[in-house]
Amino acid sequence: MPDLLKEVKFVKGVGPNRVALLNRLGIYTLEDLITYYPRTHEDRSIPKKIIDLLHGEEALIEAIPVSRMSEIKIRRNFTMYKLIVRDDTGTCQITWYNQTYLKNMFKVGEKYKFFGKVNKKFNKVDMISPVFDSENSLKNTGKIIPIYPTTYNLPQNTLRKIIENGLAEIDEKLEDTLPEYLLSKYNLCDLNNAIKQIHFPDNFENFNKARKRLVFEELLSMQLALLSLKSQYEVESEGISLDKNVKMSELIDKLPFRLTKAQLRVLEEIDNDLESSKPMNRLLQGDVGSGKTVVAEIAAYKAVKSGYQVAIMAPTAILATQHLESFTSLLDDTGIKCELLISGISKKKKEDILERLKNGEIDILIGTHALLEENVVFKNLGLVVTDEQHRFGVRQRSTIAKKGDNPNVLVMTATPIPRTLALILYGDLDISIIDELPPNRKKIDTFPVTKEMDDRVNNFIKEQIDSGRQAYIVCPLVEDSEEIDARSVLELAEKYKNVVFKDYKVEYLHGKMKPKEKDEIMERFKNKEIDILISTTVIEVGVNVPNANIMVIENAERFGLAQLHQLRGRVGRGEYKSYCILKYQGNSDVIRKRMNVMKATNDGFIISEKDLELRGTGEFFGTKQHGLPEFKIANLFEDMQVLKLVQSIAIEIIGKDPKLEKEENKKLKKLVKNKFQDRIEI
Ligand code: ADP
Ligand code: MG
């Protein structure tokens, strides 16, 4: 059995430079390497005639050199090699640079295969630096070649070779991860075969079989993990039941607004959980602006008044700070004590907070990841709320929950996913949905525009600011990059401060700044001391500035739809008509469709469905923004059928063998443990 955990640096062809590049792709071990699946495949098995070649395409030709290679020294260390070849339809010139070893490679009159990019001008056909094979060789051509997502400085060919070396080390000696009974029942190919054929398929039929098997395995292990987690909660020892005499309505009656029907329904579901002795494990889904915070506040009130402490965890300091403000202003006259714990605070202050937390003098502790630290000790933690959960791993969720004795857990997320999918993916949680916005909301008008509209957009922003509003501008990058053609915060800030908006107050914000600086900028924006805030997506989650009514997103094509929707949700929070301007580059069909989805609807659920639909396998827009588990190979849209199938299989397996203890399920147990060891005890 090959050692899959072996560091990738021990694989043939991997020196220190390449280790760094591979690491950048998330490849650290031999296992990472062989499960680094291709983005697509290129069929180099079907040759074209020279006469049929099209400018710009990559193609395979079978041709015969008509003369010996000519060598042209352009300058020192720079030599061009040219070869004229022909087939029965025409001739083609092939050029390589500096590849001395090619000089005597080709024999006049023999047939070779060349695969490369075609340059065609005035019927003169060129191919630059193609890969090639002699007539009967299949090294570089004549087969289906994997194309990997790669990184700057790590050429496709090199990466392919390294993966090939990795596969050679495995030598088809992997132990299968699925039990025989599943393989035969569902007609799945074995693991070694699957791994080989997913990279270097003999034909597309084999590739599809390989993919089917790997998708099955990936989704099944997730389903098994979720189901056993859920059964674990259910059998676990008693949780905390909160005091039935503490009524949520005590606080609800004091609110400055009326809760929506959806908020009330969700609160009732939560209230039932809190009063029952079974620990709550609930996901609260609700579109941006649907009012999740107040739900958390009411739940927290109930917990504190029943004698317990509450932890509120948010993904950024900005958001945690905002929550603190919201909590304190609402709970001010109830005698409940809230504190903030983020990494930016002084050592002295921190020690003081930790001390009072341990004594039970603090009722609600709000913070970031800082809450997870070991020295954060509660006296009696009764409720944990994590906001915008897609930023936190499940592991962090359980780390914080372990600071209490089976506390109630509420996970809040603003990324709506289709309910069917949610039921499957969050199999370990109960789900509540706020499917209604507060009545005072105005629809946000969305306009996809191209660069040519810059001046008009800027004038529009000026008009709005002149009438008292504020604007956000979001860029994908912090600073300019040579590799990525997209706008950056620093570049835009420079230009807007000094030129375009020089009569206005422009500031910028990004994740690399110190938390204190960030908070200060945010505070000034809230206080209207800043007109235009240029930032990265750090302002994405939860930020609430009702006076801001314009959201401009630069290079909108680079964001997932769910994320665009989140960003757009930063405006339209007050009484003012709000606008979202999506500046995009590129004119592919998919980009236009995506932009039009954003224009057509403000409904997060529809957007997330469309997003899944418009994303192809392994596409650039990862699943990250959805808060869904990240898959190496499965695509939740394309593989919905498999997902449903494995869900029923998993239910059956766990039903008969909840802890996967039977001999026949040994492999499944190992599979689940390997993938989810930090979150599951079976
Ligand atoms: P999200 O669900 O995106 O976290 P928030 O909880 O930040 O949304 O709520 C957005 C804004 O809506 C807040 O200013 C909040 O006070 C307000 N709000 C919440 N519920 C209601 C309601 N029922 N009626 C009016 N305003 C509400
Ligand atoms: Mg929120």
Side-chain angles (χ1 to χ4, degrees):
M1 173 74 186
D3 178 9
L4 285 173
L5 297 181
K6 184 162 104 171
E7 281 177 63
V8 73
K9 71 177 178 202
F10 297 116
V11 172
K12 201 172 126 201
V14 183
N17 286 341
R18 287 184 182 161
V19 169
L21 292 167
L22 289 169
N23 287 174
R24 226 196 272 175
L25 299 176
I27 301 173
Y28 296 87
T29 65
L30 180 57
E31 177 169 17
D32 296 338
L33 185 68
I34 62 162
T35 56
Y36 191 76
Y37 300 128
R39 174 167 58 81
T40 178
H41 285 85
E42 212 167 68
D43 191 349
R44 296 183 185 174
S45 60
I46 303 167
K48 277 189 114 172
K49 293 293 181 192
I50 289 177
I51 197 171
D52 296 327
L53 293 177
L54 301 174
H55 177 71
E57 75 172 334
E58 296 208 310
L60 176 73
I61 55 171
E62 285 181 342
I64 298 169
V66 294
S67 58
R68 289 175 53 88
M69 178 99 94
S70 54
E71 182 178 0
I72 306 155
K73 285 209 159 40
I74 307 251
R75 52 175 193 271
R76 227 170 83 94
N77 294 333
F78 190 70
T79 309
M80 211 156 80
Y81 294 92
K82 283 192 180 295
L83 187 69
I84 309 289
V85 300
R86 63 162 179 79
D87 66 9
D88 50 13
T89 66
T91 58
C92 173
Q93 171 174 278
I94 299 185
T95 310
W96 288 277
Y97 299 97
N98 286 344
Q99 314 246 35
T100 325
Y101 75 99
L102 291 177
K103 214 163 120 182
N104 298 313
M105 186 70 83
F106 302 98
K107 293 204 180 76
V108 177
E110 280 190 13
K111 201 185 252 183
Y112 297 90
K113 293 177 288 186
F114 301 93
F115 179 89
K117 187 153 182 173
V118 175
N119 235 329
K120 192 167 174 177
K121 269 193 201 122
F122 310 115
N123 285 332
K124 194 173 157 295
V125 186
D126 273 16
M127 210 180 244
I128 314 288
S129 307
V131 294
F132 59 89
D133 275 322
S134 57
E135 186 170 11
N136 295 317
S137 156
L138 288 175
K139 225 170 103 220
N140 293 309
T141 65
K143 57 185 173 186
I144 300 167
I145 303 282
I147 307 293
Y148 297 94
T150 184
T151 176
Y152 191 65
N153 271 342
L154 185 62
Q156 213 33 258
N157 288 342
T158 313
L159 179 57
R160 184 182 311 134
K161 187 71 204 155
I162 294 172
I163 290 179
E164 215 174 339
N165 293 342
L167 291 175
E169 295 208 10
I170 301 291
D171 192 24
E172 309 200 11
K173 293 203 172 66
L174 292 175
E175 194 187 311
D176 213 299
T177 40
L178 293 178
E180 183 50 43
Y181 78 92
L182 286 179
L183 294 180
S184 62
K185 181 159 181 201
Y186 296 99
N187 192 15
L188 301 168
C189 69
D190 70 78
L191 181 61
N192 285 301
N193 209 342
I195 290 283
K196 179 148 180 288
Q197 296 291 325
I198 198 78
H199 290 284
F200 299 99
D202 294 327
N203 51 51
F204 282 105
E205 193 188 334
N206 285 4
F207 167 79
N208 287 333
K209 274 188 129 170
R211 183 172 185 281
K212 179 179 159 202
R213 185 234 137 94
L214 295 170
V215 168
F216 184 99
E217 172 183 325
E218 188 167 46
L219 295 176
L220 181 67
S221 61
M222 173 194 70
Q223 282 301 301
L224 289 171
L226 291 175
L227 289 173
S228 38
L229 256 184
K230 189 162 188 163
S231 66
Q232 208 172 295
Y233 297 145
E234 276 160 11
V235 300
E236 238 161 37
S237 56
E238 293 273 288
I240 294 159
S241 37
L242 299 187
D243 189 346
K244 287 196 168 54
N245 295 318
V246 179
K247 299 284 178 223
M248 286 184 166
S249 57
E250 294 161 17
L251 191 60
I252 294 175
D253 292 342
K254 287 193 200 154
L255 293 173
F257 45 74
R258 281 177 57 178
L259 292 179
T260 61
K261 273 204 211 81
Q263 284 170 318
L264 288 169
R265 184 188 63 233
V266 160
L267 277 168
E268 195 171 317
E269 289 163 354
I270 292 173
D271 205 14
N272 286 338
D273 282 1
L274 292 176
E275 288 179 2
S276 108
S277 63
K278 189 188 123 195
M280 171 167 83
N281 274 292
R282 189 168 283 280
L283 177 74
L284 175 56
Q285 262 196 59
D287 212 343
V288 277
S290 61
K292 294 183 292 294
T293 314
V294 71
V295 169
E297 285 163 345
I298 295 164
Y301 172 85
K302 173 136 180 158
V304 174
K305 289 291 172 188
S306 305
Y308 293 94
Q309 288 172 303
V310 178
I312 312 278
M313 195 159 75
T316 62
I318 294 174
L319 202 56
T321 311
Q322 189 176 289
H323 277 332
L324 179 79
E325 282 165 17
S326 171
F327 272 72
T328 32
S329 77
L330 182 65
L331 301 173
D332 208 22
D333 51 2
T334 57
I336 292 175
K337 183 82 196 123
C338 304
E339 275 291 357
L340 180 71
L341 185 67
I342 51 179
S343 53
I345 62 174
S346 74
K347 199 166 166 237
K348 193 158 160 268
K349 171 105 187 155
K350 185 172 171 184
E351 277 168 7
D352 172 60
I353 288 179
L354 293 180
E355 187 58 34
R356 288 190 295 135
L357 186 70
K358 221 183 339 192
N359 297 337
E361 288 166 44
I362 293 173
D363 300 309
I364 302 180
L365 185 64
I366 300 169
T368 52
H369 288 87
L371 298 196
L372 298 171
E373 284 168 23
E374 218 168 302
N375 55 6
V376 177
V377 179
F378 290 82
K379 185 168 176 227
N380 57 348
L381 182 60
L383 172 66
V384 172
V385 180
T386 59
D387 192 13
E388 309 296 349
Q389 81 104 26
H390 62 291
R391 297 293 188 89
F392 295 107
V394 180
R395 179 195 202 158
Q396 291 158 326
R397 200 163 89 208
S398 66
T399 307
I400 180 96
K402 289 214 171 88
K403 292 180 182 290
D405 187 14
N406 288 324
N408 296 291
V409 175
L410 182 66
V411 173
M412 305 200 293
T413 175
T415 37
I417 55 173
R419 188 172 180 110
T420 45
L421 209 52
L423 285 172
I424 297 173
L425 294 174
Y426 293 104
D428 62 327
L429 300 173
D430 297 313
I431 300 179
S432 291
I433 300 182
I434 307 184
D435 51 6
E436 180 185 358
L437 294 181
N440 54 353
R441 291 297 140 76
K442 298 222 170 51
K443 184 177 177 293
I444 303 165
D445 278 347
T446 300
F447 303 99
V449 301
T450 51
K451 258 205 178 100
E452 294 79 64
M453 301 277 282
D454 271 6
D455 287 344
R456 278 181 68 182
V457 170
N458 291 341
N459 286 334
F460 179 70
I461 297 175
K462 284 176 191 168
E463 274 168 33
Q464 290 293 319
I465 298 177
D466 291 342
S467 66
R469 304 287 77 74
Q470 290 163 284
Y472 295 103
I473 299 178
V474 173
C475 303
L477 301 176
V478 175
E479 51 197 330
D480 272 10
S481 146
E482 284 186 2
E483 291 162 42
I484 307 170
D485 174 27
R487 287 207 169 140
S488 74
V489 169
L490 295 180
E491 178 213 353
L492 216 60
E494 167 86 23
K495 193 168 121 194
Y496 281 9
K497 266 186 180 180
N498 300 319
V499 188
V500 183
F501 291 102
K502 63 179 188 310
D503 301 328
Y504 296 86
K505 288 163 282 173
V506 178
E507 272 303 344
Y508 66 87
L509 189 69
H510 58 73
K512 291 185 181 166
M513 289 161 60
K514 294 204 183 79
K516 215 174 144 189
E517 285 175 286
K518 284 193 279 192
D519 291 347
E520 208 178 281
I521 299 272
M522 231 25 245
E523 203 50 46
R524 283 172 49 207
F525 189 64
K526 273 188 193 170
N527 297 338
K528 259 183 101 170
E529 291 160 33
I530 294 171
D531 300 317
I532 301 178
L533 182 62
I534 304 177
S535 87
T536 53
T537 54
V538 290
I539 56 125
E540 174 188 346
V541 275
V543 172
N544 199 16
V545 181
N547 188 53
N549 73 332
I550 303 181
M551 166 62 68
V552 180
I553 301 172
E554 301 280 346
N555 296 99
E557 77 282 356
R558 294 194 159 264
F559 298 95
L561 294 189
Q563 201 178 13
L564 290 176
H565 181 64
Q566 288 269 323
L567 287 166
R568 178 168 64 184
R570 298 308 113 225
V571 297
R573 301 194 143 233
E575 60 203 271
Y576 309 106
K577 172 106 198 90
S578 297
Y579 306 89
C580 173
I581 294 158
L582 302 172
K583 292 192 187 171
Y584 68 95
Q585 271 180 35
N587 50 12
S588 86
D589 219 28
V590 174
I591 293 180
R592 262 198 308 269
K593 275 192 188 143
R594 291 163 58 85
M595 294 303 127
N596 281 331
V597 170
M598 295 304 297
K599 184 180 162 70
T601 180
N602 270 309
D603 182 328
F605 283 92
I606 296 178
I607 287 173
S608 74
E609 251 165 62
K610 288 283 178 200
D611 200 11
L612 279 172
E613 188 182 314
L614 289 173
R615 266 181 311 137
T617 319
E619 227 214 287
F620 168 68
F621 307 98
T623 42
K624 254 189 201 145
Q625 298 122 3
H626 280 281
L628 308 180
E630 267 191 87
F631 297 112
K632 282 202 146 156
I633 190 154
N635 171 298
L636 294 175
F637 188 72
E638 284 176 21
D639 300 318
M640 194 58 158
Q641 290 308 322
V642 188
L643 186 56
K644 286 184 180 155
L645 171 70
V646 300
Q647 189 185 33
S648 64
I649 298 172
I651 289 173
E652 193 182 325
I653 295 174
I654 293 288
K656 288 188 199 151
D657 185 11
K659 299 200 153 202
L660 299 177
E661 284 163 333
K662 289 190 181 156
E663 182 60 27
E664 60 178 23
N665 290 329
K666 232 172 63 188
K667 284 187 174 161
L668 292 177
K669 181 167 184 158
K670 198 162 150 193
L671 177 67
V672 174
K673 271 205 138 153
N674 274 343
K675 287 204 184 169
F676 301 92
Q677 52 201 343
D678 46 347
R679 35 179 297 197
I680 218 162
E681 292 149 26
I682 50 174

